[in-house]
Amino acid sequence: MGSVGAMGSAGAEQAAVGGGLESGGEAVLVERPEPGIAVVTLNRPKARNSLSLGVLKTLKAVFGELGGDASVKAIVLAANGPAFCAGHDLKEMTAARQGADGGKAFFTETMEACSQLMQAMVACPKPIIGAVHAMATAAGCQLVATCDLAVASEEAKFCTPGVNIGLFCSTPMVALSRNVPRKQAMEMLLLGELISAADAADYGLINRSVPADEVMDVALDFARRIAHKSSATVAVGKEAFYRQIETPLSEAYDYAANVMVENMLFQDAEEGIGAFLEKRKPEWKEC
């Protein structure tokens, strides 16, 4: 599970992009297995898909490019190898300590790149669906929390273990605390212990816990169902969701009401409502 080649169609478009390379291939793969859907795959299996600085920058660029591609309607984020993502590349960060500043400049650049990636995922107008086949820890757990939707194998586990090595998971905390209730988030952050996929689903960290061989199928099913919606409506809705959730109630309603007024003026809203009233399938016009 997690192998792009295993689920791609014969005619799928595939590209490998750089950033945090290891021998034998590229760190991030991009594939178009079917119209409207892009699959982005972490491909550092020997490093447990850890997020080197190069990988962080590459992922940000990939999501930016796919977000601006009108032919892409939904994105699936997957991984190859025994882990979904083990978080930051601690070997890379430890090597940076040899610098004259003890690594401060590199640590700053890495954490800024991580923050920029997560914000780029939220800002991407295309929904991002995590297909989590195995363990996701620290910044890997942050990646899952930042996805708009997430499907995980029943065998997958999640944790924010920084507290166990003297490095509190402060940046993962941002995404975690916006998806998981406070007590559960603090339990994960303070104990640093693995939780099951079932618990992750109960907490709201993921949407579904399914058998391992169904993870990609369910993620792609989500993507297909989204791809059949109006792209313009999905984009405005995703942006509105994240913007309103951070504002006080009255401001959120004022903002959301204005968004709905603007959305009602879309050609796709006119078409969709008309199709509903006429009992026919809508034909979306806006990208």
Side-chain angles (χ1 to χ4, degrees), residues 175-189:
L176 188 69
S177 64
R178 282 163 169 72
N179 286 269
V180 172
R182 292 186 181 188
K183 292 293 189 292
Q184 285 83 356
M186 285 299 287
E187 180 178 342
M188 291 181 68
L189 291 162

Side-chain angles (χ1 to χ4, degrees), residues 7 37-41 63 74-78 127-131 216 219-220 223:
M7 64 87 197
I37 298 173
V39 177
V40 177
T41 303
F63 287 127
I75 302 167
V76 173
L77 176 62
I128 300 172
I129 304 154
M216 185 57 77
L220 285 172

Side-chain angles (χ1 to χ4, degrees), residues 16-91:
V17 291
L21 303 183
E22 60 178 22
S23 60
E26 301 282 357
V28 179
L29 304 175
V30 180
E31 186 180 20
R32 311 292 183 90
E34 55 191 82
I37 298 173
V39 177
V40 177
T41 303
L42 299 173
N43 190 43
R44 300 185 73 204
K46 294 179 180 177
R48 301 179 70 80
N49 296 312
S50 57
L51 300 173
S52 65
L53 178 59
V55 169
L56 291 169
K57 291 182 176 181
T58 297
L59 282 172
K60 179 177 181 289
V62 166
F63 287 127
E65 181 177 344
L66 294 176
D69 187 336
S71 70
V72 175
K73 310 300 182 183
I75 302 167
V76 173
L77 176 62
N80 285 328
F84 177 79
C85 180
H88 288 295
D89 190 330
L90 296 182
K91 290 183 179 179

